[in-house]
Amino acid sequence: MEKKSATEISTLGEFGLIERLTSRLARRNTSTIMGAGDDAAIVDLGEEVMLISTDMMTEGIDFDLSYFPLKHLGYKAIVRGVNDILAMNARPEQVVVALGISAKITVEALDALYEGMEFASGELGVDIVGGDTTASMNGLVITITAIGRAKKGDVVYRSGAKEHDLICITSNLGAAYMGLHLLEREKRVLKGVDNPEPQFEGYGYLLERYLKPRAKANILDALRSEGIRPTSMIDLSDGLASDLRQICRASECGARIYLERIPIARQTTQLAEEMHIDPVIAALNGGEDHELLFTVPLEMQEKVVQLGLIDIIGHITRPEAGVILVTPDGEGIALKAQAFDR
Amino acid sequence: MEKKSATEISTLGEFGLIERLTSRLARRNTSTIMGAGDDAAIVDLGEEVMLISTDMMTEGIDFDLSYFPLKHLGYKAIVRGVNDILAMNARPEQVVVALGISAKITVEALDALYEGMEFASGELGVDIVGGDTTASMNGLVITITAIGRAKKGDVVYRSGAKEHDLICITSNLGAAYMGLHLLEREKRVLKGVDNPEPQFEGYGYLLERYLKPRAKANILDALRSEGIRPTSMIDLSDGLASDLRQICRASECGARIYLERIPIARQTTQLAEEMHIDPVIAALNGGEDHELLFTVPLEMQEKVVQLGLIDIIGHITRPEAGVILVTPDGEGIALKAQAFDR
């Protein structure tokens, strides 16, 4: 290839990169309702729409096989894939799986991977309907493409948040991030040790949140049955700060979230302190939570609280107010975008 | 992970592997018409169906960036992805793109990749509607998931071939394989040379077939307008021998193809002889042709011939006759499956 200029991708950031790449894409089919820019793409089926999202995980970046059991990895891959459909308030129905298989992967390893994928599919009610395998020179690669359906009016976009809406999350944050840190620490400490015995005691919850995150389809069902329709929604994969900024950007609004209201699990705080990490940073920027971040109209407050499944952490403001974290002493800190990491 | 036993994937072969992995998958949604086992999976939409197929390409296995221009790679990735939808006799409408991006890939390189993808999308009338990017420790990875639609009755499966049906292909074979060999040879010869000048003269067609294969949507349109409906169809990606065996397996039939009738381009024969490769092997087992292999009822022979776009290379037989290549002197050779290579 010609090398007129060579710009490193990090200079654009992930969102800048995606914007650059997708800005020139034409739309040729009337069935294409919406292209890139939300958790999933949307295809018109008449009264219904079909939602499609794709998610790639590569070895060494998204997982380390030295401590990630393949069964869990399969489970997590499906949850990650399906979450993007749930985040549009749609019902996931099918997934297709593309695998890049490195030479060290055995048939038994793939059995375990598929066992985990099928187990997650059973829990989430989706069917694995097809796939592709290719060889990979360097490490396992997994691409999950998930397909879902919804009535046209039921789809929730990132762009629907309105001033005064409440900002909600489906679980405590930062636990998966600390689980990853724990696994990395034990790997480092035990490097070269025969019969290594990693010290995970007291931190089982963190490992589970990282290795086997649960999709929150049940919370969407609960919202629906209570007549609560989110105004905007996103999968919490890059961290609260980044994902909230995505909602604010798409909805052209600002937000105020309150530090005291952000739920952080006891184990998260404990390990963070042990490892000299600020637990708030873990919760705001850790990523991989795979929970849902959504907004609801202010008048739904009581209903949402009564469900007992959801934390309200703040509210939507006018765009000029920015995206602000309010500390316990009332100080407002602007939430920054993260550097490109995936 | 536990290491009770460790079976190398090569012992199963690709098809054995896919069968093993998919045999235990449950079907939970009534909208799932068909899962793994054809070019694309099928989702029920009522009168219509939606077809979904996924295709992963990894650097070092499916392409070598030292001679594969990124614009061509983007073009080829879309053609490969869309071909699986065409091979079901459906109209491709959308694609989603997942990229694993290694550190050496620049923004300009991704621009070129997307330029090629968008160019192919324009030719094929599909929309790139979404995607995902992740980092990759080792090489570029591209997964294209293509989505198409068809009326339920129009879908052509691998399984519909009947005795006496004619076996058809949409172009000469083996050219892409020889194009790849040429590129590999020049890379080898010029290793370490300053300002290398590869010798491609007289073989431009082979390079184009490998670097920029064309999807044959026009031939499907021509068949449709002549009222010719294939009884079975498959994308020619693994080589004629392997892909014909797939049709015979799915259709529970045998086949006889005639060596003299298999079209091989002059450049293919010439380079094969120069490189001491049997051009017939290139045509039968080379792979990457990305043409369509299909069957039509015998009574369509005249119509098919009149189109002038299609070669008839043999006919379908009873299953017990096997899958046979007939040599010019009338000898029948059983076509074997290939070893696992992707």
Side-chain angles (χ1 to χ4, degrees), chain A residues 7 20 26 28-29 31-32 35-36 50 56 58 91 93-94 107-108 111 118 125-127 129 132 135 138 143, chain B residues 7 20 26 28-29 31-32 35-36 50 56 58 91 93-94 107-108 111 118 125-127 129 132 135 138 143:
Chain A
T7 312
R20 175 167 173 148
R28 302 174 184 92
N29 291 283
S31 62
T32 301
M50 184 156 279
M56 185 185 285
T58 66
R91 192 175 120 67
E93 295 189 349
Q94 285 88 16
V107 172
E108 288 76 12
D111 281 344
E118 179 63 3
V126 300
D127 299 332
V129 293
D132 181 44
N138 297 294
T143 305
Chain B
T7 312
R20 175 168 173 148
R28 301 174 184 93
N29 292 282
S31 62
T32 302
M50 185 157 279
M56 186 186 285
T58 66
R91 192 176 120 67
E93 296 188 347
Q94 285 89 15
V107 171
E108 289 76 11
D111 281 343
E118 179 63 2
V126 300
D127 299 332
V129 293
D132 181 44
N138 297 293
T143 304

Side-chain angles (χ1 to χ4, degrees), chain A residues 26-334:
Chain A
R27 196 173 302 185
R28 302 174 184 92
N29 291 283
T30 51
S31 62
T32 301
I33 294 187
M34 198 189 56
D38 214 303
D39 289 287
I42 305 182
V43 173
D44 196 349
L45 302 179
E47 283 180 26
E48 290 191 320
V49 291
M50 184 156 279
L51 297 103
I52 301 129
S53 80
T54 193
D55 179 59
M56 185 185 285
M57 300 172 77
T58 66
E59 184 175 345
I61 299 285
D62 297 296
F63 55 89
D64 181 334
L65 287 183
S66 68
Y67 55 69
F68 215 129
L70 278 151
K71 196 174 159 182
H72 285 78
L73 183 60
Y75 186 96
K76 182 169 179 173
I78 294 294
V79 167
R80 276 179 55 144
V82 162
N83 247 350
D84 287 322
I85 302 297
L86 292 175
M88 308 286 293
N89 200 33
R91 192 175 120 67
E93 295 189 349
Q94 285 88 16
V95 296
V96 292
V97 178
L99 295 179
I101 303 171
S102 60
K104 74 171 182 211
I105 300 286
T106 62
V107 172
E108 288 76 12
L110 287 181
D111 281 344
L113 185 75
Y114 260 75
E115 207 184 320
M117 290 198 297
E118 179 63 3
F119 190 75
S121 298
E123 283 189 358
L124 294 162
V126 300
D127 299 332
I128 299 174
V129 293
D132 181 44
T133 61
T134 186
S136 165
M137 293 286 278
N138 297 294
L140 180 64
V141 186
I142 307 171
T143 305
I144 302 288
T145 303
I147 293 129
R149 272 209 270 188
K151 285 187 194 144
K152 226 172 236 175
D154 285 348
V155 176
V156 174
Y157 299 86
R158 293 181 182 176
S159 57
K162 295 272 177 292
E163 197 185 348
H164 308 306
D165 281 358
L166 301 172
I167 301 169
C168 306
I169 54 176
T170 50
S171 180
N172 64 76
L173 301 180
Y177 179 76
M178 290 316 302
L180 171 59
H181 268 268
L182 179 62
L183 288 161
E184 292 283 354
R185 179 182 77 179
E186 294 303 305
K187 183 184 175 182
R188 219 162 38 235
V189 168
L190 297 170
K191 199 175 175 182
V193 173
D194 290 338
N195 305 313
E197 289 185 21
Q199 297 302 311
F200 294 144
E201 221 180 280
Y203 294 128
Y205 174 72
L206 303 182
L207 294 186
E208 175 156 348
R209 283 293 299 273
Y210 177 69
L211 295 173
K212 204 184 171 192
R214 309 266 169 167
K216 293 295 170 66
N218 62 325
I219 293 191
L220 293 179
D221 292 342
L223 290 174
R224 215 168 286 132
S225 70
E226 290 297 317
I228 306 167
R229 189 175 173 285
T231 50
S232 71
M233 186 151 48
I234 191 170
D235 169 38
L236 267 172
S237 57
D238 293 335
L240 176 61
S242 173
D243 293 324
L244 179 58
R245 285 174 57 91
Q246 288 292 310
I247 284 203
C248 289
R249 212 167 91 138
S251 300
E252 296 177 12
C253 65
R256 282 176 84 83
I257 56 173
Y258 296 86
L259 184 48
E260 285 176 312
R261 296 187 143 245
I262 297 172
I264 300 179
R266 196 184 45 74
Q267 288 188 8
T268 304
T269 308
Q270 196 175 320
L271 181 62
E273 284 171 0
E274 193 182 312
M275 293 184 76
H276 308 292
I277 294 171
D278 184 345
V280 174
I281 298 294
L284 287 176
N285 297 327
E288 296 244 33
D289 296 302
H290 296 301
E291 297 291 330
L292 296 169
L293 170 67
F294 60 93
T295 55
V296 297
L298 180 58
E299 56 268 30
M300 292 291 171
Q301 181 158 18
E302 205 174 324
K303 275 190 175 181
V304 167
V305 171
Q306 275 172 359
L307 276 179
L309 295 165
I310 289 158
D311 284 285
I312 300 173
I313 61 169
H315 57 85
I316 296 296
T317 60
R318 289 163 189 250
E320 53 276 18
V323 183
I324 303 293
L325 174 72
V326 182
T327 63
D329 55 15
E331 197 193 344
I333 303 167

